[in-house]
């Protein structure tokens, strides 16, 4: 089994959707990634930063999932990153109400010594310079580097983003971001352009419409499972990334065929995430629940057809 390093925010969120609203709850990209990857019982560590206001019970939750927290810097006199947002009725678009960087504004990631030889590195959505600084600390070249980013960095740190993209194996972005990064409407053409930037694999997330995996001329599509309840899409993309990276770390297989399985596992875990607010659903997820939903995915996507 491979070691997995997860870099990203550990944060507070306050969320409002058509189905209700929350006060400050547990959030952050690294939190969702870590909880999702913990389904595979991998040897993982989170590299992040919080303030002294971050509750011990949240840290205990992550510790109890077997996640190493020695890479989380706690600034006693500081405040934890906070984001607040309101989702529209279609749940695909949202308005950011509050963003308080707090301790994250001066985040200087330090990878724990015993994880600098990790085979898998998952770079959550942060400034590209922060992502690159993590890669610079690795003592051996990782077997697989996965990068997640967003349009904000394309707007304000595009050159830095291009520099770090050169050094990763997989990039995960949504369809809107893929089009912005490349200037191409066709996702097939956009994926080819991103390949030329460096990554061997491109994962384009399409929310409720599933995800696409590109590798050279190969394309794999995984639908999103039709759900009765969608309460909160926050963290679904990070949960997908955590499931993807966790599965690869568990299996140690970086072939295109195994990447397909990783996409299905990521999509499966993301389908749980949206059923409750924040991390509520995925933090108590049982292996049996995941297994049953994987069977649903299989039924959804496999069929016999008679060719005439």
């Amino acid at each position: 089994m491979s070691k997995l390093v997860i870099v990203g925010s550990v944060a507070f969120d306050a969320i409002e959707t058509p189905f209700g609203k929350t006060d400050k709850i547990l959030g952050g990209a690294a939190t969702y990634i870590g909880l999702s990857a913990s389904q595979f019982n991998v040897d993982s560590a989170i590299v992040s930063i919080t303030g002294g206001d971050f509750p011990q019970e949240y840290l205990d939750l992550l510790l109890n999932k077997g996640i190493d927290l020695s890479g989380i810097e706690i600034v006693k006199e500081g405040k934890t990153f906070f984001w607040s947002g309101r989702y529209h009725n279609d749940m695909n678009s949202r308005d950011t109400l509050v963003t308080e960087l707090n301790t994250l504004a001066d985040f200087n990631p330090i990878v724990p010594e015993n994880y600098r030889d990790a085979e898998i590195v998952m770079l959550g959505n942060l400034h590209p310079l922060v992502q690159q600084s993590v890669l610079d600390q690795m003592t051996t070249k990782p077997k697989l580097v996965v990068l997640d980013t967003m349009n904000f960095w394309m707007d304000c740190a595009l050159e830095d983003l291009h520099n770090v993209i050169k050094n990763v194996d997989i990039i995960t972005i949504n369809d809107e971001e893929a089009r912005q990064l490349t200037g191409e409407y066709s996702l097939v053409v956009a994926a080819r352009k991103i390949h030329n930037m460096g990554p061997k694999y491109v994962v384009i997330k399409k929310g409720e419409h599933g995800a696409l995996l590109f590798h050279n001329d190969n394309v794999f599509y995984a639908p999103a499972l039709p759900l009765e309840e969608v309460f909160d899409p926050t963290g679904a993309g990070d949960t997908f990334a955590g499931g993807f990276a966790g599965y690869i770390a568990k299996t140690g297989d970086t072939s295109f065929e195994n990447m397909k399985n990783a996409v299905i596992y990521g999509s499966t875990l993301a389908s749980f995430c949206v059923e409750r607010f924040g991390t509520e659903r995925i933090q108590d997820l049982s292996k049996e629940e995941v297994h049953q939903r994987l069977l649903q995915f299989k039924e959804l996507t496999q069929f016999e057809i008679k060719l005439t």
Side-chain angles (χ1 to χ4, degrees):
M1 189 183 298
S2 305
K3 287 182 186 176
L4 170 64
V5 168
I6 299 161
V7 186
S9 57
V10 172
F12 294 126
D13 289 340
I15 302 156
E16 186 176 337
T17 80
F19 303 102
K21 61 190 299 186
T22 71
D23 294 322
K24 278 187 177 180
I25 59 173
L26 177 62
T31 304
Y32 283 100
I33 294 167
L35 288 173
S36 183
S38 73
Q39 280 290 321
F40 304 96
N41 299 317
V42 295
D43 182 2
S44 64
I46 287 177
V47 178
S48 191
I49 190 169
T50 70
D53 57 345
F54 196 73
Q56 185 61 43
E57 66 181 281
Y58 289 166
L59 294 171
D60 290 341
L61 168 66
L62 297 170
L63 282 169
N64 290 336
K65 296 294 183 182
I67 303 169
D68 186 298
L69 304 186
S70 59
I72 297 183
E73 180 186 355
I74 299 174
V75 182
K76 292 292 186 188
E77 66 281 5
K79 283 188 167 186
T80 302
F81 175 70
F82 172 61
W83 176 85
S84 175
R86 180 190 296 123
Y87 286 88
H88 299 180
N89 286 334
D90 66 359
M91 300 289 272
N92 288 320
S93 51
R94 69 187 185 192
D95 299 319
T96 293
L97 305 178
V98 178
T99 301
E100 296 174 2
L101 290 176
N102 297 326
T103 52
L104 196 64
D106 300 312
F107 179 38
N108 179 30
I110 305 296
V111 180
E113 288 287 344
N114 56 325
Y115 282 91
R116 294 188 178 188
D117 61 350
E119 294 90 342
I120 314 291
V121 177
M122 177 68 230
L123 299 173
N125 175 33
L126 288 171
H127 194 292
L129 290 178
V130 173
Q131 294 174 322
Q132 183 60 52
S133 73
V134 170
L135 296 183
D136 292 342
Q137 292 175 54
M138 304 306 288
T139 53
T140 57
K141 183 176 171 58
K143 192 173 182 180
L144 200 74
V145 178
V146 187
L147 178 140
D148 188 38
T149 191
M150 67 182 299
N151 48 9
F152 178 77
W153 306 118
M154 297 173 200
D155 292 335
C156 69
L158 185 59
E159 185 178 350
D160 294 328
L161 180 59
H162 275 296
N163 287 335
V164 73
I165 285 175
K166 291 175 190 172
N167 300 319
V168 308
D169 302 291
I170 303 177
I171 185 170
T172 69
I173 52 178
N174 68 31
D175 45 359
E176 177 190 347
E177 292 156 353
R179 288 175 173 132
Q180 179 174 341
L181 184 59
T182 62
E184 299 288 348
Y185 181 79
S186 164
L187 294 180
V188 175
V189 178
R192 190 179 302 126
K193 277 199 170 183
I194 296 170
H195 275 312
N196 292 334
M197 295 176 189
K200 301 182 190 74
Y201 299 90
V202 178
V203 177
I204 298 180
K205 300 171 289 186
K206 293 170 60 64
E208 63 179 329
H209 302 297
L212 289 156
L213 170 67
F214 296 89
H215 174 57
N216 296 330
D217 294 325
N218 299 310
V219 185
F220 175 69
Y221 169 69
L225 197 68
L227 298 171
E228 289 187 22
E229 296 179 316
V230 178
F231 270 81
D232 172 23
T234 309
D238 295 315
T239 302
F240 172 92
F244 184 95
Y247 180 81
I248 298 295
K250 172 81 170 180
T251 60
D253 182 352
T254 59
S255 68
F256 180 71
E257 289 304 311
N258 200 51
M259 296 276 177
K260 294 179 183 179
N261 294 328
V263 168
I264 294 295
Y265 269 94
S267 298
T268 298
L269 290 165
S271 74
F272 285 107
C273 179
V274 301
E275 292 182 334
R276 296 288 183 274
F277 280 109
T279 62
E280 184 182 345
R281 186 71 174 93
I282 57 169
Q283 65 192 39
D284 296 316
L285 203 52
S286 72
K287 296 282 192 290
E288 180 57 28
E289 286 178 300
V290 176
H291 179 70
Q292 289 301 318
R293 190 152 291 185
L294 281 167
L295 292 178
Q296 285 181 263
F297 253 102
K298 193 173 179 182
E299 288 294 315
L300 180 70
T301 56
Q302 292 195 348
F303 56 90
E304 292 291 333
I305 186 168
K306 288 184 178 178
L307 300 174
T308 58

